[in-house]
């Protein structure tokens, strides 16, 4: 009998599985290749069109194939791809000037790398050098990357493959209410309790001379956990008493995605010592970095380079993308469309038995799924919604401690019309898991 010819995706999947790591997880029972995109839409290798509400992990901030960004990349690629940090790089200097100004950090300096992991790694290294300590505070449910140091400040078992670490880490509360003993408290009491807990963690689990605390203003991989406004500002008051530095991980929350602010930390009434960034800056180009107090950034006491960090191609594309985000007020758009999505999801699905919580800010919206009548996370329901949405032409993401949180995070240029189309698909998909579960 003749063997059936595999589909283009099936054939690529077999090749992928043969030569790439088993832990490089793919979405969907039948994974897809995305081959082109336009605005908020993407097309796969078999010609199916999708509305993209995960923005390739929040990286496509302006949208797919934005002419202003693509033209800048083409123009730079036609002249010079690379020169290394041994030579002056005009677009890198310009980008650093822009980010330093935007950061609100006084006399800020910037260091560019190639990913969020590398950015967090650099911020941790700088803090540890500056404070001559390897003790670090991190937040439960956090995600900061896949290297040894970043994994060790990741408070999520699903993403922490090893306890080997260059750091000594103590974990503090995140302000995530759902399963927390502090959950029933109002915002003020929750913040005060977590701040008291922070002080106790410093006093009881560290040697006192802690280098830094790292936190995401809104936890991304954790499932869009939004602590009360001012939460980390209140924590920072305690950190300041001990001289502990504060690193704001803005890899997901930067560039206006939270709608209310340009940086996530601004909701917390604080100015960080260091902030890390990546993802949305390059609209898909590999660029990340840190911005922070100049004296801290200058505190490395040996030579250090980044061969590709701030390279002409990535820096030119990022400059064009930043121009686009700012000149089109995509932060304002994230606020408007984000509020619409949040309100509609609350109205349409928050009362479902499988939905424990609809939460978020700006274009970071999470729907946490559980077994009805319990707080037991339901990754199976989340996976089914993901699959159904994909069948219906909508890409969304997953997150949360148990992989049971739907994550909705379209490019920041998304329109109300596109949000309405996505809501229809998502509501229907949730309705079908609700019917099965109740
Ligand atoms: C908050 C945060 N920090 C760091 C990282 C690591 O970034 P990258 O995957 O670019 O290494 C991520 C990635 O999702 C992230 O969400």
């Amino acid at each position: 009998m003749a063997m059936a010819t595999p589909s283009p995706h099936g054939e690529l999947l077999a090749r992928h599985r043969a030569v790439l790591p088993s832990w490089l997880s793919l979405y969907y029972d039948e994974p897809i290749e995305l081959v082109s995109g336009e605005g908020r839409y993407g097309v796969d290798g078999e010609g199916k069109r999708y509305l993209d509400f995960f923005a390739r992990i929040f990286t496509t901030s302006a949208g797919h194939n934005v002419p202003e960004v693509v033209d800048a990349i083409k123009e730079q690629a036609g002249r010079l791809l690379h020169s290394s940090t041994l030579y002056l790089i005009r677009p890198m200097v310009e980008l650093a000037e822009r980010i330093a100004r935007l950061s609100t950090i006084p006399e800020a300096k910037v260091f560019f790398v190639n990913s969020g992991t590398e950015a967090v790694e650099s911020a941790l290294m700088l803090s540890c050098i500056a404070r001559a300590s390897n003790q670090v505070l991190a937040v439960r449910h956090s995600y900061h990357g896949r290297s040894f140091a970043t994994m060790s400040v990741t408070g999520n078992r699903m993403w922490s493959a090893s306890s080997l670490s260059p750091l000594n880490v103590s974990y503090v509360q995140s302000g995530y209410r759902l399963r927390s003993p502090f959950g029933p408290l109002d915002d003020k009491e929750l913040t005060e309790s977590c701040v008291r807990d922070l002080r106790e963690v410093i006093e009881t689990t560290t040697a006192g001379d802690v280098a830094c605390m790292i936190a995401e203003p809104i936890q991304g991989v954790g499932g869009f956990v939004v602590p009360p406004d001012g939460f980390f500002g209140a924590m920072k008051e305690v950190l300041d008493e001990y001289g502990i530095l504060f690193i704001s991980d803005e890899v997901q929350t930067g560039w206006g995605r939270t709608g209310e602010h340009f940086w996530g930390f601004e909701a917390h009434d604080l100015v960080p010592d260091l902030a890390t960034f990546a993802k949305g800056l390059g609209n898909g180009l590999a660029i990340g970095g840190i911005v922070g107090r100049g004296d801290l950034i200058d505190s490395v006491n040996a030579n250090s380079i980044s061969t590709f960090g701030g390279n002409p191609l990535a820096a030119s594309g990022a400059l064009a993308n930043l121009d686009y985000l700012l000149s089109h007020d995509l932060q304002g758009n994230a606020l408007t469309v984000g509020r619409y999505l949040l309100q509609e999801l609350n109205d349409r699905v928050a009362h479902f038995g499988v939905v424990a919580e609809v939460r978020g800010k700006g274009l970071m919206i999470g729907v946490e799924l559980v077994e009805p009548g319990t707080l037991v996370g339901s990754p199976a329901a989340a996976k089914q919604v993901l699959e159904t949405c994909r069948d219906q032409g909508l890409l969304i993401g997953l997150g949360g401690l148990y992989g049971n949180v739907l994550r909705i995070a379209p490019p920041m240029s998304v329109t109300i019309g596109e949000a309405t189309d996505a809501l229809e698909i998502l509501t229907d998909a949730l309705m079908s898991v609700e019917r099965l579960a109740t």
Side-chain angles (χ1 to χ4, degrees):
M1 210 167 68
M3 298 276 283
T5 317
S7 66
H9 285 153
E11 186 260 348
L12 190 58
L13 177 63
R15 288 168 54 198
H16 175 108
R17 293 246 154 92
V19 291
L20 290 160
S22 57
W23 42 260
L24 197 59
S25 59
L26 292 159
Y27 271 173
Y28 309 119
D29 289 339
E30 293 175 12
I32 56 175
E33 177 194 16
L34 292 166
V35 294
S36 65
E38 201 68 43
R40 273 71 52 200
Y41 287 89
V43 175
D44 77 15
E46 296 178 4
K48 187 173 164 74
R49 192 162 180 259
Y50 302 92
L51 198 43
D52 180 0
F53 267 52
F54 202 42
R56 318 295 149 85
I57 328 187
F58 333 103
T59 295
T60 311
S61 47
H64 303 289
N65 205 14
V66 172
E68 288 87 335
V69 181
V70 174
D71 290 348
I73 296 167
K74 280 185 183 162
E75 197 279 325
Q76 181 63 52
R79 270 190 303 121
L80 179 78
L81 278 181
H82 180 63
S83 60
S84 94
T85 48
L86 293 178
Y87 306 97
L88 291 167
I89 302 173
R90 190 170 293 277
M92 173 170 81
V93 174
E94 217 174 300
L95 187 60
E97 288 167 348
R98 299 279 301 272
I99 293 172
R101 266 200 308 276
L102 286 165
S103 76
T104 73
I105 300 171
E107 295 176 44
K109 285 193 172 184
V110 180
F111 175 59
F112 289 107
V113 292
N114 309 289
S115 69
T117 296
E118 234 189 303
V120 173
E121 189 80 30
S122 308
L124 291 169
M125 183 204 63
L126 279 169
S127 306
C128 289
I129 290 175
R131 293 269 299 150
S133 162
N134 73 337
Q135 295 172 85
V136 171
L137 300 172
V139 178
R140 297 179 198 183
H141 300 272
S142 58
Y143 178 82
H144 294 290
R146 55 168 183 76
S147 63
F148 273 119
T150 60
M151 218 165 46
S152 72
V153 290
T154 287
N156 181 331
R157 169 66 192 91
M158 252 172 86
W159 295 96
S160 211
S162 169
S163 65
L164 296 175
S165 169
L167 305 173
N168 232 308
V169 184
S170 297
Y171 280 95
V172 302
Q173 291 285 331
S174 64
Y176 180 32
R177 290 174 179 281
L178 203 58
R179 297 175 185 82
S180 162
F182 301 124
L185 302 178
D186 68 26
D187 281 0
K188 187 166 173 284
E189 289 167 338
L190 175 82
T191 302
E192 283 169 2
S193 301
C194 294
V195 167
R196 274 207 306 278
D197 184 67
L198 164 69
R199 196 184 287 281
E200 192 172 278
V201 168
I202 296 170
E203 291 293 331
T204 61
T205 73
T206 76
D209 56 333
V210 175
C212 63
M213 171 167 148
I214 181 162
E216 300 156 87
I218 294 177
Q219 290 185 333
V221 173
F224 294 155
V225 173
V226 189
D229 282 358
F231 183 87
F232 289 114
M235 286 203 162
K236 190 168 182 304
E237 285 176 19
V238 174
L239 302 180
D240 288 345
E241 285 176 34
Y242 291 85
I244 299 169
L245 304 170
F246 183 79
I247 304 170
S248 188
D249 186 346
E250 299 283 343
V251 165
Q252 294 203 13
T253 46
W255 321 113
R257 179 163 280 281
T258 70
E260 289 173 6
H261 300 100
F262 191 74
W263 305 103
F265 65 72
E266 291 173 278
H268 293 276
D269 217 8
L270 63 81
V271 177
D273 297 292
L274 291 165
T276 56
F277 57 81
K279 291 197 193 286
L281 173 60
N283 205 42
L285 290 161
I287 186 164
I290 52 177
V291 55
R293 279 174 29 206
D295 61 317
L296 262 180
I297 300 236
D298 284 340
S299 65
V300 176
N301 48 10
N303 286 331
S304 193
I305 62 160
S306 176
T307 301
F308 296 121
N311 68 76
L313 191 70
S316 299
L319 269 173
N321 188 47
L322 193 52
D323 274 341
Y324 191 92
L325 297 178
L326 294 170
S327 63
H328 290 77
D329 187 22
L330 294 194
Q331 179 187 324
N333 192 56
L335 183 67
T336 307
V337 184
R339 281 189 175 155
Y340 169 70
L341 277 165
L342 192 63
Q343 182 65 53
E344 287 292 316
L345 280 168
N346 265 312
D347 292 348
R348 294 175 190 220
V349 305
H351 58 283
F352 287 5
V354 289
V355 174
E357 193 168 58
V358 175
R359 57 177 178 251
K361 223 185 219 190
L363 293 172
M364 300 180 82
I365 298 175
V367 181
E368 176 141 7
L369 302 188
V370 289
E371 292 174 12
T374 75
L375 283 180
V376 177
S378 181
K383 186 168 176 293
Q384 193 187 323
V385 172
L386 193 82
E387 292 282 354
T388 309
C389 284
R390 169 249 157 111
D391 287 346
Q392 298 305 312
L394 175 69
L395 304 180
I396 58 169
L398 293 181
L401 192 55
Y402 312 105
N404 63 319
V405 181
L406 307 174
R407 288 196 294 161
I408 295 133
M412 288 160 61
S413 50
V414 66
T415 66
I416 291 280
E418 289 158 349
T420 307
D421 291 346
L423 280 165
E424 293 297 317
I425 297 172
L426 193 55
T427 307
D428 284 352
L430 277 160
M431 205 122 57
S432 61
V433 291
E434 174 74 359
R435 263 192 233 108
L436 279 176
T438 52

